[in-house]
DNA sequence: TTGCTGGTGTGATTTGGATCACACTTTTTC
DNA sequence: GAAAAAGTGTGATCCAAATCACACCAGCAA
């Protein structure tokens, strides 16, 4: 739980007392590679803060094709927020790509913490702000950049993911076929 | 300013006193069609709540092609948030498509309000939550749907925009060429 | 009236990337 | 450590959408 405190204090300091309270809403879970956190159609009861490991969140279309909404590693939050906030069934899948430890928080917990502690409301607002601008950047990139450029941008933004994640998933994240990405990649080795 | 109060109270009630305080941070502005709110490279000092009128926010690439990040009408907030939150120069343009009245808020104002009034921090968090999930939906749609489907989804989500906004801009929003959109559109008139 | 400017439809041509198909390598699994 | 599963490279083919090109129409301004 130290990790959690450190994570929160990157944004706002909290007293020991306050943290004792915060702590009570989180539960630790260990997840193995290939295990699902959420699957389409399920009730979404939690959001997750990742302490270690890597996950991918994806949408599965009617033909069984995957489209990656987000990768998440250390200190990232993730959930099917659409479902979580509106208490609907999940429309996304989240699966573990590397053994992980995560902290789970219910919607009730999030809202209670936010109303009990102004600080925590602030914390969540700041986090959302960052997520919002990151998503906007991605939208612009999807609209305006070529696969080539998107691939390079991805590498710059998330060098760590670039190393650890199989290319086929990166392709799904970028919105290109595996083959096309492979060709970009090999044509560029030279330069 | 009544409008502002109503808008805030859709999310959280505020006392007269509180609202008096809130009010002081906003300034009203009237904008004419074709007028720019922000242009690339400028300092971003404000975000805007739209009381009436329609705006479009877009990215302009090196070749002068537009890509629409967002349309905004009544009761929408808009700004180049990337720039606003990080106090950088704008990388986007915002321009008025229909005579408008807007309320302007500085970053200082937003942060001051948030820290003075827990309620306002809450208000902004809720707004961001909605924006976040809407953007995520758009990302999924860009990755997984055909132009045809994206066009239909857009019509469902924003029927009002669909009517008022020239098709060429809708094409830019959807990430298709004007011509392709026009063909989808005319091929579908029949059915 | 006579231009402009901005938006729109629609044909012809081109093209980037998807798809299909297969071989090869690496990692997992029991 | 053998078999299966997962990931990758690369050629051949195909196709949806971009691009180019032009005609038309509406609204507005001089």
């Amino acid at each position: 739980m130290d990790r959690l405190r450190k994570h929160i204090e990157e944004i706002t300091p909290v007293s020991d007392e306050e943290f004792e309270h915060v702590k009570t809403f989180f539960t630790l879970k260990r997840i193995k590679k290939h295990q699902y956190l959420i699957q389409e159609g399920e009730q979404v009861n939690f959001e997750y803060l990742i302490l270690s490991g890597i996950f991918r969140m994806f949408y599965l279309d009617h033909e069984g094709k995957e489209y990656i909404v987000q990768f998440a590693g250390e200190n990232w939050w993730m959930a099917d927020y659409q479902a979580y906030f509106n208490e609907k069934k999940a429309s996304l899948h989240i699966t573990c790509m590397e053994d992980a430890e995560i902290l789970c928080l219910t919607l009730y917990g999030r809202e209670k913490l936010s109303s009990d502690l102004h600080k925590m409301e602030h914390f969540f607002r700041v986090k959302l702000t960052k997520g919002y601008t990151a998503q906007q950047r991605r939208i612009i990139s999807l609209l305006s950049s070529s696969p080539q450029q998107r691939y390079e941008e991805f590498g710059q933004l998330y060098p760590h993911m670039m190393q650890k994640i199989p290319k086929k998933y990166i392709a799904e994240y970028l919105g290109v076929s595996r083959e096309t990405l492979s060709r970009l990649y090999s044509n560029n080795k030279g330069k």
Side-chain angles (χ1 to χ4, degrees), chain A residues 127-137:
Chain A
K127 280 285 160 192
L128 269 164
T129 303
K130 301 202 169 156
Y132 183 88
T133 55
Q135 282 194 329
Q136 185 166 96
R137 182 175 41 225

Side-chain angles (χ1 to χ4, degrees), chain A residues 52-63:
Chain A
S52 65
I54 299 183
F55 291 83
R56 71 177 196 276
M57 176 160 82
F58 60 95
Y59 169 69
L60 209 65
D61 76 11
H62 31 98
E63 279 155 6

Side-chain angles (χ1 to χ4, degrees), chain A residues 65 167-168 171-172 176-187:
Chain A
K65 278 187 69 173
K167 302 237 168 42
K168 60 172 283 198
E172 286 171 24
V176 234
S177 72
R178 214 203 78 220
E179 294 93 331
T180 300
L181 183 65
S182 163
R183 281 185 255 261
L184 293 179
Y185 180 72
S186 45
N187 292 342

Side-chain angles (χ1 to χ4, degrees), chain A residues 74-100:
Chain A
E74 208 178 310
N75 288 328
W76 286 61
W77 289 79
M78 88 174 335
D80 179 344
Y81 284 112
Q82 189 104 51
Y84 177 74
F85 288 127
N86 302 304
E87 305 185 74
K88 306 271 177 180
K89 306 279 173 179
S91 60
L92 302 176
H93 303 253
I94 299 180
T95 190
C96 180
M97 302 176 73
E98 198 174 82
D99 292 4

Side-chain angles (χ1 to χ4, degrees), chain A residues 21-146:
Chain A
H21 182 58
V22 169
K23 228 163 91 168
T24 62
F25 290 94
F26 287 86
T27 55
L28 180 73
K29 224 175 167 181
R30 269 167 242 279
I31 308 285
K32 285 266 167 65
K33 190 167 174 175
H34 293 138
Q35 202 177 324
Y36 277 83
L37 273 187
I38 304 184
Q39 280 185 276
E40 191 191 340
E42 291 176 2
Q43 194 64 42
V44 175
N45 296 312
F46 301 96
E47 68 181 315
Y48 309 99
L49 170 62
I50 294 156
L51 299 179
S52 65
I54 299 183
F55 291 83
R56 71 177 196 276
M57 176 160 82
F58 60 95
Y59 169 69
L60 209 65
D61 76 11
H62 31 98
E63 279 155 6
K65 278 187 69 173
E66 271 190 39
Y67 302 90
I68 293 190
V69 175
Q70 199 196 134
F71 296 115
E74 208 178 310
N75 288 328
W76 286 61
W77 289 79
M78 88 174 335
D80 179 344
Y81 284 112
Q82 189 104 51
Y84 177 74
F85 288 127
N86 302 304
E87 305 185 74
K88 306 271 177 180
K89 306 279 173 179
S91 60
L92 302 176
H93 303 253
I94 299 180
T95 190
C96 180
M97 302 176 73
E98 198 174 82
D99 292 4
E101 286 192 335
I102 60 178
L103 291 172
C104 312
L105 177 63
T106 62
L107 181 59
Y108 170 79
R110 163 184 271 248
E111 297 303 317
K112 186 73 166 59
L113 273 178
S114 292
S115 75
D116 287 353
L117 296 169
H118 187 163
K119 278 172 185 180
M120 286 305 293
E121 184 114 46
H122 180 71
F123 171 80
F124 286 120
R125 179 171 70 88
V126 171
K127 280 285 160 192
L128 269 164
T129 303
K130 301 202 169 156
Y132 183 88
T133 55
Q135 282 194 329
Q136 185 166 96
R137 182 175 41 225
R138 185 160 172 215
I139 288 172
I140 294 171
S141 168
L142 283 170
L143 289 175
S144 72
S145 303
S146 68

